[in-house]
């Protein structure tokens, strides 16, 4: 497994793959890898000849009061896991390489009408930072396919739209969310949770599952379904809610009437840890 740091080495590596006519899958990550990431790697290996995983804790997607400095950096453990999975290369660039013009001077990429909804309200910088980074990654590594988890469903939808709008010839593959045994969606930030918080956090999935069950029992009011989720979580003091909505999976606009295929999206805080989750009806 190659570890690529410089843009020059990366371009050379990528050109060699293209010359051989091999298909290339990219799995963008911020490291601190877990089974969720590994499921993306396995899907890329299933669909592509060569798999590259990028590991970069992207400063532009963190707000000034967020956990950029504290975000777990576990390169040694990540490399061992990726080697075991048979990954071909890790791309681990420096901030200077990704952002040669720092801060506000850098070219921005954003998807206005989708980036200001939901997570974009409490994290206004987040999706712009993700789009800045992912568009740069796609230029350094012109893969055939890139793999993202459905856990951050808004991020996945925004990236699909960015790629369409900017005519970037990469197929975006959304992969199913992977859960802990207690139902909590896997996330690198779960390691911030204490033991009791980890148990409480599983209520998020329980509340979503109950709402889905209500839908299949005949409840089609989106207002009633999302109110039930909120009250279950707030009543028991499990979580400080950020948002809870039922949306169209393509436009991300809220749906008044629940229908099969619509997406429940929730975000909230357990102590100091912000968690998101999603479930399809
Ligand atoms: O989902 C993530 O881990 C990050 O937002 C991503 C897509 C790797 C961009 O930094």
């Amino acid at each position: 497994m190659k570890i690529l740091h410089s843009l020059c080495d990366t371009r050379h590596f990528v050109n060699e793959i293209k010359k051989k006519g091999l298909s290339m899958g990219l799995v963008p990550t911020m490291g601190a890898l877990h089974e969720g990431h590994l499921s993306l790697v396995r899907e890329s290996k299933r669909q592509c000849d060569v798999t590259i995983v990028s590991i970069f804790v992207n400063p532009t997607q963190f707000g000034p009061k967020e956990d950029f400095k504290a975000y777990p950096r576990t390169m040694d453990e990540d490399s061992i896991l990726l080697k075991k999975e048979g990954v071909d290369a890790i791309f681990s660039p420096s901030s200077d390489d990704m952002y040669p013009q720092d801060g506000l001077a850098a070219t921005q990429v954003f998807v206005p009408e989708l980036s200001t909804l939901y997570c974009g309200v409490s994290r206004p910088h987040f999706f712009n930072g993700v789009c800045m980074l992912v568009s740069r990654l796609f230029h350094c590594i012109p893969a055939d396919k890139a793999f993202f988890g459905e856990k951050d469903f808004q991020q996945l939808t925004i990236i699909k739209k960015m790629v369409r709008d900017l005519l970037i010839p990469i197929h975006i593959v959304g992969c199913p969310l992977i859960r802990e045994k207690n139902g909590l969606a896997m996330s690198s930030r779960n390691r911030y949770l204490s033991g009791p918080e980890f148990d409480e956090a599983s209520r998020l999935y329980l509340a979503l599952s109950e709402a889905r069950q209500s839908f299949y029992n005949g409840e089609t009011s989106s207002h009633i379904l999302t109110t039930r989720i909120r009250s279950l979580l707030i009543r028991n003091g499990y979580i400080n809610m950020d948002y809870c909505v039922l949306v169209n999976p393509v436009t991300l606009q809220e749906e008044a009437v629940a229908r099969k295929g619509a997406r429940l999206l929730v975000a909230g805080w357990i102590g100091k840890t912000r968690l998101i989750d999603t479930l399809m009806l």
Side-chain angles (χ1 to χ4, degrees), residues 27-31 37 54 56-58 61 71 126 129-131 133-134 137 148-149 152 155 159 188:
V27 181
T29 80
M30 298 208 298
H37 296 111
S54 67
F56 180 67
V57 184
N58 175 29
Q61 70 189 70
Y71 197 86
F126 177 65
V130 168
C131 288
L133 190 264
V134 172
L137 283 178
F148 294 87
D152 195 334
Q155 168 175 277
I159 290 170
S188 303

Side-chain angles (χ1 to χ4, degrees), residues 98-157:
M98 284 290 101
Y99 298 109
Q101 283 248 283
D102 77 342
L104 293 175
T107 299
Q108 310 276 318
V109 181
F110 67 104
V111 181
E113 84 269 36
L114 298 181
S115 296
T116 49
L117 302 169
Y118 319 129
C119 283
V121 175
S122 52
R123 308 186 70 196
H125 46 274
F126 177 65
F127 293 115
N128 299 352
V130 168
C131 288
M132 277 169 83
L133 190 264
V134 172
S135 56
R136 283 159 170 75
L137 283 178
F138 287 171
H139 284 111
C140 302
I141 303 178
D144 298 277
K145 296 186 179 183
F147 296 79
F148 294 87
E150 284 180 350
K151 185 192 140 225
D152 195 334
F153 195 78
Q154 189 176 0
Q155 168 175 277
L156 173 64
T157 310

Side-chain angles (χ1 to χ4, degrees), residues 203-236:
R203 300 286 165 166
L204 209 51
Y205 176 57
L206 200 72
L208 287 174
S209 307
E210 283 190 17
R212 183 166 62 177
Q213 196 49 53
S214 303
F215 167 70
Y216 281 101
N217 290 342
E219 181 54 73
T220 57
S221 158
S222 158
H223 178 71
I224 292 179
L225 294 173
T226 52
T227 305
R228 277 193 194 147
I229 296 175
R230 281 173 188 277
S231 52
L232 192 141
L233 292 168
I234 294 168
R235 199 176 50 237
N236 294 302

Side-chain angles (χ1 to χ4, degrees), residues 69-84:
K69 284 210 175 105
Y71 197 86
R73 286 156 172 87
T74 56
M75 189 61 179
D76 292 345
E77 291 94 318
D78 292 348
S79 310
I80 293 169
L81 288 174
L82 295 176
K83 197 167 178 193
K84 261 198 211 145

Side-chain angles (χ1 to χ4, degrees), residues 5-25:
H5 292 293
S6 80
L7 294 184
C8 185
D9 289 350
T10 305
R11 288 200 176 110
H12 180 73
F13 182 80
V14 164
N15 287 340
E16 291 302 305
I17 293 164
K18 295 259 160 185
K19 265 192 228 153
K20 289 182 193 148
L22 299 174
S23 63
M24 202 186 329

